[in-house]
Every structure is written in structure tokens, then in C-alpha cells.
Amino acid sequence: MNSQQILVQGSSTAALGPDHLTLTKDGGRVRIEIPYAVIKRVAMADGETQIRILLTDQKTYWIPVGNPTATEAFLTSLEKALPEERDPAGSAFVVTKEKRAGDAWIRWSALLVFLGYTIWIGVAYYVDMALLTVVATLAALFGLVCFVSVAGKIRHRVICARRGITVLCTLPQHPNGWPEHFTFTDTSGNVHHSNGKTRNQTGYVVYAPERPSINVIRQPLGWLLVKYSFGLIVPLGILGLGVLGLAVPYL
């Protein structure tokens, strides 16, 4: 199954991922992720202009279509991607994300406020303090982003440790010789790509059965404690230095 296959019609798109179907509407403002495991049936009757996605809890989604050839190929690939065993939870595992209309306005407003604050610091406490404010802000944001990223990886580890399934994974070779991410096959026979990396050609991956995109490479507990402790302490240190730098003009 081609994970990059996309069906486009107007402002709506449908894309086949490794373990879920992604629908976007209104030019990308609304994004819906539907795991294959909760799709009961896909169909398109003669004369219809939309593909009907029926979930295991009977909720229905629709995919508008255009070109008949592209639609048939997409429908065939989608049917092949569906696992043999389905999850009766249905829409409980569907993720819907919606971009709020005011998001862009909020970002620009925050940027203007920051610029105004920096200029005020430069006027009130000299130019070097304004430069320090810029550097400290970037450091604080960098530390915060890194901390959240590591915390997210730890969360995935916890999820997989609680209810994950362990399977063998392999590291395929890229045509130019560079290694790619691991691939593994779930209990339903579907092939997925792992986000983890290791130096070995084979290993074991633990994945969440309801959502295989949440997966981790199994590693020694001691190494994980060191890696994630370091991964949390360093971003927190950078974040702390950034906050301290922001406070310097007032000290």
C-alpha cells in the first residue's frame, strides 16, 4: 500500500497513511485521522460522487471524488489497507483537529507584543539588554520545545509499556546505502514504519494495538533512564537560563 497516495477534490483531500486514513476539509482547516482498524466498510455506489466510510460503530464519513481512475485506484488501496480484525470502538479512536480562524491573528499579535517589549527594554535598559532579551526568549522557547518533545516520547513509552504488543522489526536498506527507519508487521498483517532507531539490523518494537503509529524500539531500562533523564534535564536547564535572561533587566 502506498502510504503517500492522496485523493484530491476541491478543498478536500484524503491520504493513505501507514495505519490510518487522513481526511482534510476546508483547505486543510479541518483534519480527521481515522485508524484503519475502526473502518468497517468502504463503498461507492453507482452514480454517487462520494466514497462512504462506515466505521464499526456505524458512524459514517464521506470522501468527495472526481477523476474516476484515481478514485478507483484509491478505493482499491484503501480496501487492501483494512486489517482482518476490526476494533468495535469505532469513532472513539477518530482524531479531529480544527485550526481556529484566530490562530494566525494570535501569532501575529504575540510577535508584535514581543517586538514592542524588546524595543521598550532597549530604550529603558540600553540596547545590550534588548539583545539579551531576544537571545533569552529564543533559548526559553528552544528549551520548552525540546522538553515537550522528550516528554511526548516518554508518554509513548508509558503507553506501550502498559498495553503494547512486542514484535520483531527489521532495518531496510535505502538504495543509496543510508539506513531507513525500522519496519514491522502488526498482528493483523499490516506493515508499519517505526520512529525509533538502533545500530542493529533487527530489533524489537512495542506498539499500541489501537494505534500502531505509537511505537517504540525496545531498549535496556538503564539506558532509557539515562537518556530520558539527560533529555529532560538539559532542556530544563536551557529553559531556566532563558527565563533568567529575561529577568536580568529587572535584577
Side-chain angles (χ1 to χ4, degrees):
M1 188 265 295
N2 183 3
S3 61
Q4 299 299 318
Q5 186 167 352
I6 300 176
L7 188 64
V8 181
Q9 176 63 18
S11 61
S12 301
T13 66
L16 302 181
D19 56 15
H20 65 272
L21 169 68
T22 300
L23 309 179
T24 61
K25 301 178 180 180
D26 300 334
R29 189 178 66 85
V30 179
R31 178 186 176 92
I32 303 172
E33 297 179 357
I34 307 175
Y36 295 137
V38 302
I39 298 178
K40 180 179 181 180
R41 184 170 61 253
V42 295
M44 182 176 177
D46 294 338
E48 290 187 342
T49 58
Q50 298 184 91
I51 296 175
R52 182 167 55 252
I53 308 295
L54 179 64
L55 305 188
T56 52
D57 63 350
Q58 304 306 311
K59 185 170 182 179
T60 303
Y61 288 88
W62 300 88
I63 303 176
V65 297
N67 183 281
T69 302
T71 299
E72 183 178 356
F74 183 88
L75 187 58
T76 300
S77 297
L78 177 55
E79 290 174 339
K80 290 181 179 179
L82 301 182
E84 294 182 1
E85 297 183 6
R86 312 298 170 83
D87 193 319
S91 54
F93 289 119
V94 175
V95 177
T96 301
K97 302 176 182 178
E98 184 173 353
K99 295 181 180 179
R100 295 177 296 179
D103 284 352
W105 179 84
I106 293 174
R107 287 194 297 268
W108 281 107
S109 297
L111 178 60
L112 291 176
V113 169
F114 173 71
L115 289 177
Y117 174 75
T118 304
I119 293 173
W120 177 78
I121 289 291
V123 173
Y125 299 97
Y126 305 110
V127 176
D128 56 342
M129 289 298 177
L131 294 176
L132 176 61
T133 297
V134 173
V135 174
T137 300
L138 293 177
L141 289 176
F142 177 76
L144 180 61
V145 170
C146 291
F147 179 83
V148 172
S149 176
V150 175
K153 293 179 181 179
I154 294 176
R155 174 177 172 271
H156 283 185
R157 287 275 175 187
V158 173
I159 292 175
C160 292
R162 291 176 57 188
R163 56 179 184 271
I165 297 176
T166 302
V167 295
L168 181 68
C169 58
T170 58
L171 183 65
Q173 288 295 322
H174 193 271
N176 62 13
W178 291 96
E180 295 181 336
H181 291 292
F182 275 94
T183 62
F184 66 93
T185 303
D186 63 20
T187 55
S188 298
N190 301 300
V191 178
H192 306 276
H193 298 283
S194 172
N195 297 321
K197 293 181 179 180
T198 183
R199 296 179 179 179
N200 302 321
Q201 289 296 117
T202 61
Y204 288 94
V205 64
V206 185
Y207 72 92
E210 70 277 6
R211 190 160 189 179
S213 59
I214 298 180
N215 57 74
V216 295
I217 297 295
R218 195 169 70 181
Q219 296 176 323
L221 178 60
W223 165 245
L224 292 177
L225 291 175
V226 172
K227 180 174 71 172
Y228 287 125
S229 296
F230 184 80
L232 291 176
I233 292 173
V234 172
L236 279 178
I238 297 174
L239 176 60
L241 290 175
V243 173
L244 180 61
L246 291 173
V248 165
Y250 304 101
L251 298 178

